[in-house]
Amino acid sequence: MSYLVLARKWRPLNFDQVVGQSPVVRILRNAISRDRVPHAMLFSGVRGVGKTTLARIMAKALNCESQEGELPCNECSSCLEIVAGTAVDLHEIDGASNRGIQEIRDLKENIRFLPTRGRYKIMIIDEVHMLTNEAFNALLKTLEEPPDHVIFMFATTEIHKIPVTILSRCQRYELKKIPFAELFQFFKKIAEAEKVTISDSALEMIAREAAGSVRDGLSLLDQVFSFGGEQMTDEDVSEVLGLVGSQVFEQLGTALLDEDLGSALKILDQVCTAGADLKRFTADLLHFIRGLIICRVSKSPAELLEGSDREIASMTEMAGRQSSETLYNQFDLLLKGAAEMQFAPHPRLVLEMTFARIVQTGQLVPVSALIARIDELLAADGGETAPVAQPAASRVPEKKKSEPLAATSDDPVRLSEPAPPFKVQTQQVSVAPDVKPAEPNSGVVSTAESTKDVRKDWDDFVAYVKDRKDWMAQIVRLCDSVRLNDGELLMRYDDGSQCTILQQSDNLKILTEFTQDFFQQEWRVKVSANGDGRSQGSGDGAAGLQEERVALRRDPLALLVAEVFNGHVGDVRTGPRSREVIAVMEEEN
Ligand SMILES: [Zn+2]
């Protein structure tokens, strides 16, 4: 008895045996039953999804001799000949090896004659994208005016390589990858029919590895069946396919998330001992973490992930225990590790160190949570020390800057590594030094009765302007820093070209009115660009900037940020202008 590979043994003979592709199958069935079959059909899709299979079923249906019931009958002589590969009216051509103009000429010669037995002469050209341009051109003429007795069926994995002139003359059928669940059910049916005992998780492994291709899955199944006989364990399957079971990734993922480096390294050792390919293993681990991220952020992860309900439920549970930031970070570190492994003489060491890094970084807290924490601290702090008068260096003793604060040790904010020095940007804190002393918790400008604060309510102000003059709001929004000085609202732009229009007196007048109405203050408005300041007086520019930098360095908000992060205020940068001035000052020293 000869052994027939599963892919051939389980090749669908009829439309309803085709796995997946139900929309295309429906169209083809309707075309047959209504006798509206196009003269040229093009099946596209990745390998192993059923392109030539559908073309053959279609060919049988077209030439089937049966007059009743569902076509093809698979019993008449025409059907049987096609199955056996001896039908004279069906020509199957491999486009990869018959790609020249001569082959197409032969084909054209051939179709001039009527079919010998059936209704149609059927030409199936597989991998049609391999044809040369000349061959396509020769084919084009025939496709434009095909003889009534000829049907063309093309199959391709690379539809983009086919000339548009050809495409536009074909009815196109795009075959999709087979969904995981359908593959799994199909393989399960085969295992039962072949009387092989194999666990669901092993079949899931095979279905996932098949990645949407029935044929790939069937050859894997062949491999597994011929190895294990009638009883297959999960270990057998992992061994035959060189795959690592999903439970190994679950264990490893748990170990990394629990910061248990010892267990993680032990699992890696077992994987290595089992002889798995480390690069492949790392890629699979990346897929696993991607899965966790999807489970963490998506409401219906099953749509994006290939896995059984059980696997997805377990991953969702696992992902729920981490912040998304932790998972992104793990993915990032692992991705870097995978890249390093490509060229490393000892990939295992790289992977081990990557695990160490992941464990060391530990759990991350979202920035939004940190900001909320800062707000909390600000509120608590403001109660006792308000009003914060002039920003004072004495507020935080020098040594505190480099020492962890007692309060942060049992803090939910957790950073395993010392934070880098903070670079305070103008946009973030530049308002502070010149605004009159304010109570940070209330945000009220204390010199005035106004309940609006330049810094806090700036966005509302922009919205206020937008309601009245949309274009003006667009420009106001671009402002790089805004501060209040002696009844004057100073708006500064880094890029002078952005604010020229605001500097025009008419517009400035309108803007001043808006400002006064919104903030209920008799403020004058001044709009300046960075370049203006320098041209007006570079003499006190350096001194002014130096002052500004000192003030920024001592700004309560900056100091508090430094406290929370256990860092210190390092370089203070206020934009391109300051860098030039600093360079000048350094030269002078
Ligand atoms: Zn038949």
Side-chain angles (χ1 to χ4, degrees), residues 461-471 473-474 477:
F461 174 61
V462 174
Y464 177 85
V465 177
K466 186 173 161 51
D467 286 344
R468 285 152 185 83
K469 270 207 183 323
D470 193 31
W471 68 264
Q474 303 300 331
R477 183 177 290 131

Side-chain angles (χ1 to χ4, degrees), residues 423-433 480-483 492 494 530 545 548 552 572-579:
K423 291 182 176 159
V424 180
Q425 301 287 344
T426 330
Q427 292 99 310
Q428 288 154 355
V429 291
S430 67
V431 177
D480 291 295
S481 84
V482 55
R483 61 199 175 107
R492 201 172 62 200
D494 285 344
N530 267 347
L545 251 171
E548 188 183 345
L552 280 171
V572 178
R573 280 190 273 169
T574 55
R577 181 187 57 160
S578 68
R579 265 175 237 128

Side-chain angles (χ1 to χ4, degrees), residues 60 64-66 72-76 79:
K60 275 192 290 186
C64 183
E65 290 160 8
S66 165
C73 71
N74 285 309
E75 283 167 2
C76 69
C79 286

Side-chain angles (χ1 to χ4, degrees), residues 447-508:
T447 50
E449 301 75 31
S450 164
T451 51
K452 291 200 172 71
D453 177 273
V454 174
R455 178 172 48 163
K456 278 198 162 182
D457 297 313
W458 189 252
D459 288 345
D460 289 344
F461 174 61
V462 174
Y464 177 85
V465 177
K466 186 173 161 51
D467 286 344
R468 285 152 185 83
K469 270 207 183 323
D470 193 31
W471 68 264
M472 189 175 274
Q474 303 300 331
I475 300 173
V476 171
R477 183 177 290 131
L478 292 174
C479 175
D480 291 295
S481 84
V482 55
R483 61 199 175 107
L484 199 56
N485 188 23
D486 203 17
E488 207 171 40
L489 184 73
L490 303 169
M491 291 170 59
R492 201 172 62 200
Y493 288 77
D494 285 344
D495 178 357
S497 64
Q498 288 172 342
C499 65
T500 353
I501 194 162
L502 279 190
Q503 289 170 324
Q504 289 168 9
S505 60
D506 290 357
N507 294 328
L508 195 60

Side-chain angles (χ1 to χ4, degrees), residues 177-180 207-209 211-212 302 304-308 311-312:
K177 284 187 176 181
I178 319 295
F180 174 85
R208 197 174 308 110
E209 189 62 12
L304 291 163
L305 292 178
E306 291 183 337
S308 62
E311 284 175 318
I312 290 177

